[in-house]
Amino acid sequence: MSQFTVLNPATEQAVTTLTQASAEDTDAAIGRAAAAQERWRAVAPGERAGLLRRFAAAVDSHVEELAGLEVAGSGHPVGQARWEAGHVRDVLLYYSATPERLIGKQIPVPGGLNVTFHEPVGMVGLIVPWNFPMPIFAWGMAPALAAGNTVVAKPAELTPLTAVRIGELALEGVLQVLPGKGSVVGQRLVDHPAVRKIVFTGSTEVGSQVMAGCARHIKRVTLELGGKSANIVFADADLERAAATAPYAVFDNAGQDCCARSRILVQRSVLDRFMELFEPAVKGVAVGDPASPGTEMGPLISAAHRQHVAAYVPDGAPVAFRGSAPDGPGFWYPPTVLAPVGADDPAYTEEVFGPVVTVTPFDDEAEAVTIANDTPYGLSGSIFTSDVGRAIRVARAVETGNLSVNSHSSVRYWTPFGGFKQSGLGRELGPDAPDAFTETKNVFIATEP
Ligand code: NAD
């Protein structure tokens, strides 16, 4: 039986030790989910909605406890962690409205009528990364449950605590949470024929293996993968606003964010002014003890990940300026701005997944779009301009799934979320998300005598 010790990334102290599930434990959970599936799909839609609202209320009464677990086990700033726990409640409440709205169609046909039904796909395997343990868990499980499926979820090895606790608050059997290794529990969910859909969020590399595994069983799969998104600042933008918000588009969650806008593209004529405004904004990011209410950025998740991030800023790297980070124990890394950077610099081409951003000038709109699209990824992006026509033109031209104009915000649970190109396959969230957890059944009823 393998054990895993969760470390507090801000102190390097052990938080707790968990037993990791084995392949046999995963099979047993799949067996329980299959039994629960028969009961859950038979629950009347209104009653299922009520049970989801009860689940949301249970999460709501544990927001402080869940936030505390995320501060200790993931190093998230406490304000962010409280928001994340509240977000789980909100996502459950939003999807609690959908069981009664899984409405089929009536299609005109000669000799009778044709109706469609949305049937649950069955059992869903949910595989979650370590960067946003609560939100990403909620985005998969809430619409899956609302559509009448059961869920077996595997949190990331490094950050299992909040998902395990939320699983304890759920209806038994309907949602099960199995902490364990990706290569054991995750792989078993992919390989087990009774699991009918995989919702995977993580790296593009593992996502590609998961997709190949699902192909063997013709299993449905949603992939939410990596990103290398651009924040495009035009000369006609409100530069103060663009510079003040840019740190939060990339340094939130210490840059461990698939939507991090880690390439800032600035029109050349305002580059110097932008950098003048950007420097105090970066230095003003409050980096420190995640448990203290004013903290905006905490540590990186692990020593290994800090080493990975630091490799993008070798000695002699073009550091324009940096924010601060505490000394002493903890996996700290300061917000770091690189400029000017070469187009072949790995910090410019690869997903760093840490608080490192590059700044690159461009001359005109066409060049901004070309640079923004010069990446295998396409997840997020921001555009700052005062020209509405340009905002829409550029938003349509950038090959990415989620964009914001004159704002750094990215994900909203009531709008669809997902990536272009190697950033993913399929969409989560938004009003149609439960449909992706159903199969459409088409029934012809003869009416001729
Ligand atoms: P990862 O790919 O290493 O792991 C993700 C999950 O997959 C973990 O739970 C892991 O245990 C599991 N896993 C590993 N091997 C597996 C296998 N063979 N079969 C099944 N499951 C397996 O990613 P990570 O390091 O945890 O997360 C960081 C990555 O996630 C970044 O690339 C980031 O951009 C991406 N991400 C994407 C989104 C999005 O919505 N697009 C959101 C958050 C993170």
Side-chain angles (χ1 to χ4, degrees):
M1 197 174 282
S2 82
Q3 301 281 315
F4 184 81
T5 299
V6 176
L7 291 185
N8 182 328
T11 62
E12 305 183 33
Q13 300 293 311
V15 179
T16 187
T17 297
L18 268 90
T19 301
Q20 293 193 309
S22 62
E24 293 71 34
D25 297 331
T26 312
D27 284 353
I30 290 170
R32 287 191 294 275
Q37 177 67 42
E38 292 310 308
R39 298 195 303 274
W40 184 238
R41 68 174 292 157
V43 172
E47 201 182 325
R48 201 189 302 147
L51 288 165
L52 287 170
R53 286 195 291 273
R54 242 174 55 194
F55 185 14
V59 172
D60 186 51
S61 60
H62 290 80
V63 162
E64 271 311 303
E65 181 192 343
L66 291 165
L69 287 173
E70 209 68 292
V71 171
S74 307
H76 288 196
V78 63
Q80 174 186 332
R82 282 193 187 113
W83 180 89
E84 289 169 341
H87 181 78
V88 176
R89 170 203 60 220
D90 294 345
V91 171
L92 280 164
L93 281 177
Y94 179 73
Y95 287 110
S96 74
T98 54
E100 292 160 299
R101 292 175 172 80
L102 285 169
I103 296 164
K105 289 192 169 113
Q106 183 267 310
I107 303 167
V109 285
L113 63 93
N114 214 101
V115 288
T116 64
F117 297 88
H118 292 289
E119 306 289 8
V121 290
M123 199 189 315
V124 173
L126 173 58
I127 302 173
V128 180
W130 50 260
N131 62 329
F132 289 116
M134 283 194 275
I136 292 172
F137 174 53
W139 301 350
M141 63 86 173
L145 294 175
N149 303 282
T150 50
V151 175
V152 178
K154 192 205 85 64
E157 289 87 329
L158 294 172
T159 57
L161 302 181
T162 44
V164 167
R165 186 71 187 105
I166 293 167
E168 289 167 358
L169 302 174
L171 273 185
E172 212 179 319
V174 172
L175 169 65
Q176 298 174 79
V177 179
L178 292 187
K181 290 187 178 153
S183 56
V184 177
V185 179
Q187 193 66 50
R188 192 67 192 134
L189 292 173
V190 171
D191 289 339
H192 199 298
V195 177
R196 294 311 310 145
K197 173 163 179 163
I198 293 288
V199 178
F200 173 86
T201 305
S203 60
T204 296
E205 189 189 352
V206 177
S208 149
Q209 291 167 30
V210 165
M211 189 173 175
C214 289
R216 281 194 287 278
H217 298 277
I218 319 292
K219 188 175 290 196
R220 276 131 198 81
V221 63
T222 303
L223 301 172
E224 295 287 2
L225 310 175
K228 187 69 188 172
S229 302
N231 184 356
I232 309 173
V233 181
F234 286 96
D236 63 6
D238 175 345
L239 287 186
E240 278 76 12
R241 181 182 173 125
T245 56
Y248 302 98
V250 60
F251 302 141
D252 267 359
N253 209 36
Q256 304 166 124
D257 179 357
C258 52
C259 289
R261 265 74 19 107
S262 56
R263 293 181 300 148
I264 302 178
L265 315 182
V266 185
Q267 197 152 15
R268 198 180 301 275
S269 58
V270 294
L271 179 65
D272 291 347
R273 179 66 186 137
F274 176 82
M275 292 301 265
E276 266 169 36
L277 293 164
F278 189 37
E279 182 166 359
V282 170
K283 292 187 170 163
V285 176
V287 184
D289 179 6
S292 116
T295 295
E296 294 177 308
M297 185 181 125
L300 293 171
I301 190 66
S302 66
H305 190 56
R306 179 170 60 182
Q307 208 173 354
H308 167 84
V309 170
Y312 287 99
V313 191
D315 288 345
V319 175
F321 41 84
R322 282 190 132 142
S324 62
D327 296 325
F331 309 124
W332 301 101
Y333 198 81
T336 299
V337 179
L338 300 179
V341 277
D344 57 352
D345 188 324
Y348 174 80
T349 58
E350 296 175 15
E351 181 180 46
V352 177
F353 225 54
V356 177
V357 68
T358 61
V359 183
T360 302
F362 65 86
D363 287 311
D364 56 21
E365 187 178 312
E367 193 189 11
V369 170
T370 303
I371 300 175
N373 287 341
D374 185 21
T375 166
Y377 297 114
L379 190 58
S380 182
S382 294
I383 301 158
F384 282 84
T385 176
S386 56
D387 177 338
V388 176
R390 166 179 283 154
I392 293 175
R393 274 195 311 276
V394 174
R396 297 294 304 272
V398 175
E399 296 162 344
T400 185
N402 316 277
L403 282 137
S404 54
V405 174
N406 296 330
S407 161
H408 73 286
S409 81
S410 53
V411 188
R412 287 181 184 76
Y413 59 78
W414 60 97
T415 61
F417 175 73
F420 279 33
K421 302 195 283 189
Q422 290 187 21
S423 285
L425 188 72
R427 291 290 176 273
E428 296 188 285
L429 300 176
D432 300 331
D435 288 349
F437 291 95
T438 65
E439 302 275 23
T440 300
K441 182 177 287 171
N442 156 36
V443 179
F444 170 72
I445 305 160
T447 53
E448 298 299 305

